[in-house]
Amino acid sequence: MSTYTVSGRFQSRDGFQPFTKDVEAENEDLARERIYTQVGSQHNRKRTQIDIEEVSAA
C-alpha cells in the first residue's frame, strides 16, 4: 500500500473549510473513497459537499 496526500475542501456553516490528509491506499481511487468516508463521518457531510482538489503520492 502507498501513502497518498489528499487536499480539498468541504462545505461548512461559514463557507468552505480546506483540508489536507494523508491516507494509505492501494491506488488514487481508493484514497479518494477513504477521504469521502473519513471527512463525511467526522464532519457529517455528504459526498456532494466534499470537493477533492488533488491526490498525490506522498
Side-chain angles (χ1 to χ4, degrees):
M1 289 225 269
S2 301
T3 301
Y4 291 93
T5 301
V6 182
S7 61
R9 60 189 188 146
F10 63 90
Q11 193 173 8
S12 67
R13 292 182 214 185
D14 302 329
F16 282 91
Q17 186 74 27
F19 68 87
T20 301
K21 292 188 176 276
D22 292 330
V23 64
E24 286 190 8
E26 293 179 10
N27 56 43
E28 288 186 14
D29 291 334
L30 288 177
R32 288 177 185 271
E33 291 297 321
R34 291 214 173 134
I35 290 299
Y36 281 131
T37 303
Q38 288 178 3
V39 173
S41 175
Q42 291 173 354
H43 299 282
N44 197 22
R45 298 288 170 238
K46 296 181 181 177
R47 289 173 178 254
T48 57
Q49 297 172 315
I50 302 169
D51 294 330
I52 295 177
E53 297 168 353
E54 183 180 3
V55 179
S56 60

